[in-house]
Amino acid sequence: MGDLELKREASMRVFALCIVGLLLLAACGNNHDYSPKPRGFYRIEFPKKSYRDYVSDYPFTFKYPGYAVIQKDTQTRIPTKMLNMNTLLNMNFPQFDGTLHMSYETITSKKVFDELVEDAHRFAFKNTVKATDIDQGTISIPQNKVYGIYYTIGGNAASSVQFFVTDSVKNYLRGALYFNTEPRLDSIQPVLNFVKQDINVMIGSFKWKR
């Protein structure tokens, strides 16, 4: 009886090992992909393109997207000694949690004009720490007396778009686009491309009243 019990116990062990082996083979055969998955993002619903005219007491008009809200800014302080703090506007994009900050200045002399242009250049290149590149494009709409520079800032910079427009004589307006999130170009790129199209429409329709 002793030998029979030993043989039965050995058979049970062999059977158990076979079952474990089959289970391991089945698990390996499922061909699971354990490679890291790319970061997922929420689906973005873009509004239909439509525009309205911005009309106010300021000496300029332009078209802006219907999903945006323009408000006077009474809190922001921009570090330039010449800026009139009563001429700050925010074009808010609530759906995208972004804002185009705009500041208007009356040109009173060539010295003031040169310093305003230098300010725009300096503000744009403050982003060089995180920017991969900064491209400068010329704005020229002679029929509307609108001239300026458009800065496209690549990489994870806080502001990806900045520009200024002027008639070179009396009027100057600067704009800078910011999103209220950590700057990650891979996540905001679709929204950035969408908003940039509307900023381009705004600049293309810009007119001075005087």
Side-chain angles (χ1 to χ4, degrees):
M1 292 294 291
D3 291 341
L4 182 61
E5 290 294 334
L6 289 174
K7 290 180 180 179
R8 184 178 299 172
E9 184 177 345
S11 298
M12 292 297 293
R13 288 178 181 175
V14 172
F15 179 74
L17 288 174
C18 290
I19 293 297
V20 172
L22 289 173
L23 290 174
L24 289 174
L25 287 173
C28 294
N30 286 337
N31 196 26
H32 290 298
D33 180 10
Y34 294 103
S35 60
K37 299 297 189 295
R39 178 190 294 260
F41 302 107
Y42 293 108
R43 176 181 174 84
I44 302 172
E45 297 291 341
F46 291 106
K48 183 179 179 180
K49 292 286 189 184
S50 64
Y51 301 93
R52 63 184 75 175
D53 294 320
Y54 178 71
V55 180
S56 69
D57 294 334
Y58 294 118
F60 50 80
T61 64
F62 54 79
K63 293 186 180 298
Y64 69 101
Y67 63 89
V69 178
I70 299 180
Q71 298 174 323
K72 190 173 182 180
D73 188 334
T74 59
Q75 297 180 347
T76 302
R77 294 293 180 265
I78 298 178
T80 171
K81 61 185 178 181
M82 298 172 297
L83 187 64
N84 181 344
M85 292 302 176
N86 293 321
T87 54
L88 292 174
L89 294 174
N90 288 334
M91 183 186 297
N92 296 311
F93 309 109
Q95 184 170 346
F96 304 131
D97 198 19
T99 302
L100 177 66
H101 298 283
M102 296 180 286
S103 56
Y104 169 78
E105 179 72 23
T106 300
I107 300 171
T108 57
S109 68
K110 185 179 185 304
K111 180 177 181 294
V112 169
F113 174 76
D114 291 342
E115 292 186 9
L116 287 169
V117 172
E118 179 58 31
D119 275 346
H121 182 83
R122 178 167 55 86
F123 289 142
F125 278 81
K126 280 179 66 177
N127 292 277
T128 52
V129 175
K130 292 188 175 181
T132 56
D133 61 273
I134 300 180
D135 180 58
Q136 301 180 57
T138 301
I139 299 171
S140 180
I141 312 174
Q143 64 272 26
N144 296 339
K145 297 181 180 179
V146 174
Y147 310 94
I149 294 178
Y150 188 105
Y151 298 93
T152 302
I153 303 168
N156 296 324
S159 176
S160 298
V161 173
Q162 298 192 24
F163 67 90
F164 74 84
V165 289
T166 178
D167 60 4
S168 304
V169 180
K170 296 180 180 180
N171 304 296
Y172 170 96
L173 182 137
R174 176 179 172 269
L177 176 65
Y178 289 86
F179 291 98
N180 300 318
T181 58
E182 179 184 356
R184 290 182 59 88
L185 185 62
D186 58 348
S187 61
I188 68 168
Q189 189 68 66
V191 171
L192 177 60
N193 291 341
F194 186 85
V195 174
K196 281 174 66 175
Q197 292 174 4
D198 295 326
I199 293 177
N200 291 341
V201 170
M202 170 195 168
I203 294 173
S205 64
F206 205 94
K207 294 180 181 179
W208 304 108
K209 294 181 183 178
R210 63 187 186 201

